[in-house]
């Protein structure tokens, strides 16, 4: 069965989605990724979706799920490289991916993860505040 | 066949009909000789009359959707669309067809003076046909006008949403005029595309030019901000005037998760802070990054 490779880079996990996700594949990715987080004790997950041109609500939910699950296991999730059309679709679907950090490209995403993890111990409040509440309906 | 007789009669009288039609048109006070020359008008009229006589030559006075009328519909659409663009009024455009009716009935009246029953039937028939054609003209006229309006709307939309790169990594987007769904869509697309193109991480949405913010507009703003955030950039809303702040609070719209600033200057300052950029007066040291 087709699987999406998960790369380990230091204390981060890197996933690059090169194909359009169908439901089965997304579910596999979710479980693989969480297993990987627990096995390696990764502190951050970086998902690159720059090649994804089609999303649906299911895919949006999977991304949200991955973020929440990783948070429970003490890892932050950053989604990078979202296409404009994808962003508009997700917003129109009402999925604003609360709790998921976003960045423009892999480089900036890595920077963000690094910063999050550095900040985690001393002053976590101000960073945390952006995510938990929802402000749209 | 009676209908064929009528058609032949009209065909014979073509010259007279054209003359009387032209006279009708020229006599009308609403004639726009500033927009169309007499020769041009005569050419158009002759073409249309020719096509009409050809269409009815088989005795079909009823069904304007049949293939015989295709040519005439084409000519009429062409004429009315051009007139719509040239700025003719609906009345002036329709008079073009309706004055032909007058010419036709006049001719029939002269020829059938002694057969009132035939005349009555023929006039009814011609009336119906010409009314149908007039409706077609009006319909295409409206379509032409709508096209003009749509083109203008597109133009306005295009020029009214510029995305400005104010600094390395900072984009500004001044919104002028009311935000409706279609404009929000364009604003959003332009902004997101520009974020990708320039790799900017901060976008400032300036709403000083938005006359009023209601819950729908606020919803659109929130959508734009969320989409920007999904792309991995931050969005600041600036240019919030006192009245707008009041309306937002009175409507119970929650913008607490969105960074808002009163002026573009303060938004820019905030953006500088977020990117660790410092801008100073040149007195102490040059402005540096």
């Amino acid at each position: 069965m087709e699987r999406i490779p998960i790369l380990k880079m230091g204390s981060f996990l890197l996933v690059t989605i090169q194909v359009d996700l169908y439901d089965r594949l997304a579910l596999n990715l979710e479980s693989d990724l969480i297993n990987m987080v627990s096995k390696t004790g990764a502190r951050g997950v970086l998902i690159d979706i720059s090649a994804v041109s089609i999303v649906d609500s299911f895919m949006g939910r999977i991304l949200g799920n991955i973020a929440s699950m990783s948070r429970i296991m003490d890892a932050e999730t950053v989604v990078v490289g979202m296409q404009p059309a994808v962003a508009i679709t997700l917003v129109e679907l009402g999925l604003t991916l609360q709790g998921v950090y976003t960045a423009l490209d892999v480089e900036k995403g890595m920077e963000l993860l690094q910063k999050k993890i550095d900040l985690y111990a001393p002053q976590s409040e101000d960073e945390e505040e952006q995510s938990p509440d929802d402000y749209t309906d | 066949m009676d209908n064929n007789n009528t058609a032949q009669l009209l065909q014979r009288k073509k010259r007279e009909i054209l003359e009387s039609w032209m006279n009708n048109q020229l006599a009308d006070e609403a004639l726009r000789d500033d927009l169309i020359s007499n020769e041009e008008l005569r050419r158009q009229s002759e073409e249309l009359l020719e096509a009409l006589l050809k269409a009815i030559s088989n005795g079909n006075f009823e069904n304007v959707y049949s293939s015989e009328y295709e040519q005439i519909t084409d000519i009429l659409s062409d004429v009315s669309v051009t007139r719509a663009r040239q700025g003719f009024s609906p009345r002036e455009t329709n008079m073009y067809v309706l004055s032909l009716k007058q010419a036709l009935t006049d001719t029939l009246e002269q020829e059938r003076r002694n057969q009132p029953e035939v005349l009555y039937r023929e006039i009814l028939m011609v009336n119906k046909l010409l009314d149908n054609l007039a409706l077609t003209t009006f319909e295409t006229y409206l379509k032409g006008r709508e096209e003009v309006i749509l083109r203008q709307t597109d133009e306005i939309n295009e020029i009214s949403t510029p995305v400005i790169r104010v600094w390395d990594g900072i984009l500004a987007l001044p919104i002028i005029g009311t935000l409706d769904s279609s404009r929000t869509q364009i604003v959003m697309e332009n902004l997101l595309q520009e974020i990708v193109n320039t790799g900017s991480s901060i976008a400032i949405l300036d709403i000083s030019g938005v006359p009023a913010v209601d819950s729908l507009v606020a919803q659109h703003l929130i959508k734009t901000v969320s989409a920007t955030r999904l792309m991995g950039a931050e969005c600041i809303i600036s240019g919030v005037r006192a009245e707008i702040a009041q309306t937002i609070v009175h409507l119970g719209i929650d913008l607490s998760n969105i960074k808002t600033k009163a002026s573009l200057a303060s938004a820019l300052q905030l953006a500088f802070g977020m990117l660790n950029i410092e801008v100073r007066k040149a007195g102490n040291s040059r402005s540096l990054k």
Side-chain angles (χ1 to χ4, degrees):
Chain A
M1 178 179 276
E2 210 179 342
R3 276 179 190 282
I4 291 172
I6 301 168
L7 314 175
K8 185 170 178 298
M9 281 182 68
S11 55
F12 304 138
L13 295 180
L14 177 63
V15 182
T16 315
I17 302 176
Q18 306 274 8
V19 290
D20 280 330
L21 279 183
Y22 50 90
D23 295 1
R24 186 86 230 146
L25 196 62
L27 282 173
N28 279 345
L29 174 68
E30 183 188 282
S31 61
D32 285 357
L33 199 55
I34 298 308
N35 283 331
M36 200 71 169
V37 170
S38 90
K39 208 163 71 188
T40 60
R43 299 292 313 278
V45 176
L46 192 135
I47 307 175
D48 175 23
I49 58 166
S50 53
V52 176
S53 54
I54 300 169
V55 282
D56 55 10
S57 52
F58 186 74
M59 159 96 181
R61 219 188 63 199
I62 293 282
L63 285 178
N65 283 355
I66 291 177
S68 320
M69 292 174 188
S70 314
R71 163 115 6 96
I72 296 174
M73 306 187 69
D74 193 25
E76 295 294 342
T77 308
V78 178
V79 172
V80 305
M82 191 180 289
Q83 298 286 331
V86 172
I88 293 174
T89 314
L90 284 181
V91 169
E92 292 297 337
L93 289 172
L95 293 164
T96 47
L97 299 189
Q98 302 299 323
V100 180
Y101 294 106
T102 48
L104 279 173
D105 50 36
V106 178
E107 206 180 343
K108 288 194 174 120
M110 278 294 177
E111 225 168 79
L112 182 69
L113 267 184
Q114 201 80 52
K115 217 164 69 190
K116 290 278 175 258
I117 285 159
D118 286 349
L119 285 172
Y120 215 75
Q123 26 164 226
S124 55
E125 305 115 298
D126 52 351
E127 292 297 329
E128 286 292 67
E129 265 182 3
Q130 297 176 351
S131 43
D133 316 280
D134 45 347
Y135 48 75
T136 45
D137 45 355
Chain B
M1 285 285 287
D2 282 329
N3 286 1
N4 272 341
N5 273 342
T6 317
Q8 276 159 17
L9 170 70
L10 291 175
Q11 183 77 45
R12 264 202 318 276
K13 291 283 168 189
K14 188 175 140 198
R15 286 271 108 210
E16 285 87 338
I17 295 172
L18 182 61
E19 282 317 312
S20 120
W21 185 19
M22 281 309 293
N23 286 340
N24 282 346
Q25 290 192 72
L26 296 177
D28 191 12
E29 273 177 30
L31 177 77
R32 297 294 294 268
D33 36 17
D34 52 333
L35 291 179
I36 187 162
S37 68
N38 280 357
E39 294 81 54
E40 175 71 9
L41 188 63
R42 176 173 279 275
R43 201 190 51 72
Q44 266 183 7
S45 309
E46 208 169 346
E47 196 185 5
L48 182 70
L49 185 61
E50 189 90 34
L52 179 69
L53 290 176
K54 214 167 106 195
I56 59 174
S57 62
N58 291 334
N60 177 6
F61 278 84
E62 299 285 328
N63 185 6
V64 290
Y65 299 106
S66 65
S67 56
E68 290 122 13
Y69 281 88
E70 247 166 44
Q71 195 194 352
I72 206 164
T73 321
D74 283 351
I75 296 176
L76 278 180
S77 330
D78 204 43
V79 167
S80 48
V81 168
T82 353
R83 290 191 173 206
R85 284 199 197 121
Q86 282 170 339
F88 280 84
S89 77
R91 185 195 159 80
E92 286 148 13
T93 311
N94 248 349
M95 272 317 280
Y96 171 65
V97 178
L98 291 177
S99 54
L100 172 60
K101 179 156 95 180
Q102 187 64 46
L104 285 175
T105 46
D106 282 351
T107 312
L108 286 173
E109 206 180 333
Q110 273 173 21
E111 291 298 314
R112 302 282 194 222
R113 205 164 303 201
N114 303 324
Q115 302 154 277
E117 267 172 39
V118 182
L119 176 66
Y120 173 70
R121 201 179 48 79
E122 281 176 346
I123 287 190
L124 266 190
M125 211 157 61
V126 168
N127 252 328
K128 211 167 145 197
L129 175 65
L130 266 289
D131 285 348
N132 251 331
L133 293 182
L135 283 179
T136 315
T137 318
F138 193 60
E139 217 171 80
T140 38
Y141 172 83
L142 268 190
K143 238 178 251 165
R145 282 296 270 265
E146 264 160 30
E147 263 168 40
V148 173
I149 295 173
L150 274 183
R151 210 187 52 230
Q152 286 171 343
T153 318
D154 280 353
E155 263 163 32
I156 293 175
N157 277 341
E158 228 158 78
I159 56 173
S160 67
T161 50
V163 182
I164 308 159
R165 196 167 152 217
V166 281
W167 207 273
D168 196 25
I170 305 175
L171 293 178
L173 191 128
I175 301 174
I176 294 165
T178 346
L179 265 184
D180 54 19
S181 336
S182 63
R183 252 192 100 193
T184 315
Q185 192 77 17
I186 294 169
V187 167
M188 224 196 267
E189 273 167 24
N190 282 354
L191 179 63
L192 298 192
Q193 197 53 53
E194 206 55 30
I195 288 176
V196 174
N197 292 348
T198 60
S200 305
S201 50
I202 294 177
I204 302 172
L205 219 59
D206 188 76
I207 57 166
S208 351
V210 179
V213 173
D214 56 13
S215 44
L216 205 65
V217 174
Q219 184 74 30
H220 290 322
L221 284 175
I222 291 169
K223 267 189 190 168
T224 313
V225 174
S226 309
T228 327
R229 204 189 69 85
L230 280 179
M231 299 275 306
E234 277 290 330
C235 198
I236 306 168
I237 293 182
S238 78
V240 185
R241 280 174 283 127
E243 312 91 79
I244 288 183
Q246 279 179 327
T247 354
I248 287 176
V249 171
H250 285 156
L251 288 172
I253 300 163
D254 182 21
L255 292 182
S256 55
N257 283 301
I258 299 176
K259 293 189 178 73
T260 49
K261 288 281 172 193
S263 67
L264 186 64
S266 43
L268 201 55
Q269 211 155 29
L270 175 67
F272 284 154
M274 285 158 76
L275 290 179
N276 293 325
I277 297 170
E278 212 174 311
V279 178
R280 280 193 217 152
K281 271 204 177 127
N284 296 333
S285 64
R286 303 187 68 79
S287 63
L288 43 89
K289 234 180 154 185

